[in-house]
Amino acid sequence: MLKHIVMWQFKDEAEGRTRDENCLYVKAALEALPSVIPYIRNLEVHLNGYPSSMGADMVLITEFDSKEDLDLYAVHPEHMKVSEYVGKVRTSRMVCDWES
C-alpha cells in the first residue's frame, strides 16, 4: 500500500474566488475523483480547522496499491483538470509518499 499526502496553501483570491471558496471547490473536485479513477483505494480531503501562517489550508490523503497506480493517477485526465486548477490558486504545495 502506498500513501500519498499533499498539502497546499491557497492564495487569498484567485480565479474569481476567495481562499475559502477555492478550498471548498477543490475539496469537492478531489472528492469526486474516486468515482472516475479506479486506481484510488482511499481518498480523504481535510480543511485546516485552525489556520495559521505556518499551516497548510488543505490536506489530501490518498492510498494506492502501488507506485505504478500513483503514476497512473497522476496523469489521469480528471486528476490533471483538478491539478491544473490548483496550480492557479495555490501559493505552495508539499508532498510526502511512503509504503506501508
Side-chain angles (χ1 to χ4, degrees):
M1 182 72 58
L2 178 75
K3 296 212 179 195
H4 173 68
I5 311 298
V6 185
M7 294 188 300
W8 300 276
Q9 287 183 321
F10 286 78
K11 297 176 183 177
D12 289 337
E13 284 191 46
E15 298 298 302
R17 294 183 172 103
T18 65
R19 175 193 318 258
D20 290 344
E21 291 168 336
N22 272 318
C23 284
L24 291 173
Y25 180 83
V26 170
K27 183 178 189 302
L30 289 167
E31 289 175 339
L33 293 179
S35 67
V36 294
I37 302 177
Y39 317 109
I40 300 170
R41 292 292 162 240
N42 189 46
L43 181 143
E44 297 177 42
V45 182
H46 300 281
L47 303 178
N48 189 343
Y50 304 98
S52 71
S53 62
M54 297 292 290
D57 295 312
M58 179 184 295
V59 62
L60 168 68
I61 304 166
T62 49
E63 293 179 351
F64 300 89
D65 287 337
S66 66
K67 172 74 165 75
E68 292 76 22
D69 284 354
L70 173 61
D71 293 342
L72 290 169
Y73 159 80
V75 298
H76 190 283
E78 293 302 315
H79 171 259
M80 294 301 297
K81 288 179 192 176
V82 178
S83 183
E84 288 172 19
Y85 185 82
V86 172
K88 296 176 186 178
V89 300
R90 69 172 169 83
T91 59
S92 67
R93 175 180 180 261
M94 294 189 72
V95 177
C96 186
D97 300 311
W98 73 91
E99 290 189 32
S100 60

